[in-house]
Amino acid sequence: MDSLKKKFGKRNVKPNEKTLLVQEVFSKVAKNYDKMNDFMSFGAHRLWKSELIEFLNVQKKDKIIDVGSGTGDLINLILKKNLSETLYSIDLNDEMLNHGRTKFKDQNVKFIKANAEKLPFNDNFFDKYIISFCLRNVTNINNALSESFRILRPGGLFYCLEFSKPEAELVNKIYNSYKKNIIPWIGHKIADNRDAYRYLEESISLFPNQNELLYQLKKIGFFKTKYINMFNGIVAIHTGFKV
């Protein structure tokens, strides 16, 4: 049934197939993941992540969950600023988790393999929920958003950093051309994996724009929802508050 299909890039696949295919992509690119992020964004992803951390308004006692933590860029920034004593790094990919465990082996970080759509935590457990460049890879975005709401305590805050839609039409045209032609080429040259980075381009293009994601957050139950565009909206930070 078409209604049960999900998008893996531009392909229609079964929900369980999408999860497996996405994990296969990230297993293949894990070794070159940080290098590729630097090449593709000209290092700008580090600025975007630093801006996200500046928005967190973390208290020392806060429990923070970083979903789709990958190689741990956000964990590293939080640790450097000594912002929190309780950090949870969540990923569904073994290679990414192993990278994080090695990188932060002497730090107080809990590494847990889990799906963003079904997190192994009690209700009202966390103070801050962060998801960065991961939500578009989730099979069912609404399920992941519902989980974020469930595990946040009343007064907790949701933060999502993700690719979005540029505000200016000229920027959008240039950006679309870059995604379609240059990103797969870089993937081929640097990571020897054109297909993985073609999926990356397609996943960005199919992801909800700023207002669509804002609507989904409100529908889930978040209050004081807003987004902040960076680089003309190439990326955006969405935030929400749980009453």
Side-chain angles (χ1 to χ4, degrees), residues 143-187:
N143 285 353
L145 294 179
S146 293
E147 275 292 87
S148 73
F149 190 84
R150 180 186 69 79
I151 65 171
L152 277 171
R153 65 168 181 81
L157 290 165
F158 168 95
Y159 298 87
C160 174
L161 173 64
E162 190 53 90
F163 292 108
S164 202
K165 184 177 179 180
E167 298 170 290
E169 190 58 36
L170 178 59
V171 175
N172 195 36
K173 286 181 179 180
I174 294 170
Y175 179 51
N176 284 337
S177 178
Y178 175 76
K179 286 188 298 179
K180 184 177 180 180
N181 301 300
I182 304 301
I183 286 180
W185 180 84
I186 294 174

Side-chain angles (χ1 to χ4, degrees), residues 3-242:
S3 61
L4 296 178
K5 296 290 187 179
K6 295 295 179 182
K7 288 289 187 180
F8 174 72
K10 294 180 179 177
R11 289 165 51 192
N12 287 318
V13 297
K14 295 177 182 178
N16 62 330
E17 286 182 302
K18 176 174 179 177
T19 303
L20 291 172
L21 287 167
V22 168
Q23 294 314 309
E24 184 179 310
V25 165
F26 281 98
S27 293
K28 288 178 179 178
V29 304
K31 183 179 178 181
N32 295 295
Y33 188 71
D34 291 333
K35 185 191 297 184
M36 280 297 299
N37 283 346
D38 283 330
F39 270 99
M40 290 188 302
S41 71
F42 305 101
H45 75 101
R46 299 185 183 277
L47 295 174
W48 301 332
K49 290 167 183 173
S50 293
E51 284 292 313
L52 175 60
I53 297 305
E54 291 300 318
F55 281 112
L56 285 185
N57 189 28
V58 175
Q59 306 298 315
K60 198 71 170 166
K61 61 179 176 57
D62 282 352
K63 290 179 182 176
I64 301 176
I65 183 170
D66 179 18
V67 177
S69 192
T71 56
D73 283 353
L74 294 182
I75 295 291
N76 189 45
L77 289 170
I78 292 169
L79 289 171
K80 281 185 175 181
K81 289 180 175 289
N82 196 28
L83 294 176
S84 175
E85 296 172 349
T86 313
L87 288 172
Y88 290 76
S89 174
I90 310 300
D91 210 291
L92 191 55
N93 187 275
D94 288 318
E95 282 77 7
M96 292 293 187
L97 280 172
N98 288 336
H99 186 99
R101 288 190 183 101
T102 301
K103 189 174 180 180
F104 305 110
K105 61 181 178 180
D106 297 322
Q107 303 289 340
N108 186 24
V109 182
K110 296 176 174 65
F111 294 92
I112 298 172
K113 181 177 180 179
N115 191 320
E117 298 178 52
K118 192 175 182 180
L119 295 168
F121 302 104
N122 293 330
D123 297 355
N124 308 318
F125 189 77
F126 288 98
D127 299 284
K128 304 289 190 299
Y129 175 106
I130 312 169
I131 187 164
S132 171
F133 299 120
C134 170
L135 191 59
R136 71 180 186 281
N137 296 310
V138 172
T139 300
N140 190 310
I141 290 175
N142 278 329
N143 285 353
L145 294 179
S146 293
E147 275 292 87
S148 73
F149 190 84
R150 180 186 69 79
I151 65 171
L152 277 171
R153 65 168 181 81
L157 290 165
F158 168 95
Y159 298 87
C160 174
L161 173 64
E162 190 53 90
F163 292 108
S164 202
K165 184 177 179 180
E167 298 170 290
E169 190 58 36
L170 178 59
V171 175
N172 195 36
K173 286 181 179 180
I174 294 170
Y175 179 51
N176 284 337
S177 178
Y178 175 76
K179 286 188 298 179
K180 184 177 180 180
N181 301 300
I182 304 301
I183 286 180
W185 180 84
I186 294 174
H188 172 62
K189 293 295 182 181
I190 305 300
D192 193 28
N193 198 323
R194 183 186 296 271
D195 289 341
Y197 286 92
R198 182 178 293 113
Y199 160 74
L200 172 66
E201 177 271 319
E202 291 173 349
S203 70
I204 295 171
S205 297
L206 292 169
F207 189 69
N209 65 33
Q210 289 92 325
N211 287 316
E212 289 169 344
L213 183 54
L214 202 66
Y215 173 77
Q216 287 177 281
L217 288 172
K218 291 177 180 177
K219 191 175 178 181
I220 291 297
F222 283 107
F223 283 80
K224 296 183 179 178
T225 55
K226 65 179 181 179
Y227 65 83
I228 300 99
N229 280 335
M230 293 185 286
F231 280 42
N232 197 253
I234 288 176
V235 294
I237 296 173
H238 281 72
T239 64
F241 176 79
K242 179 176 176 178

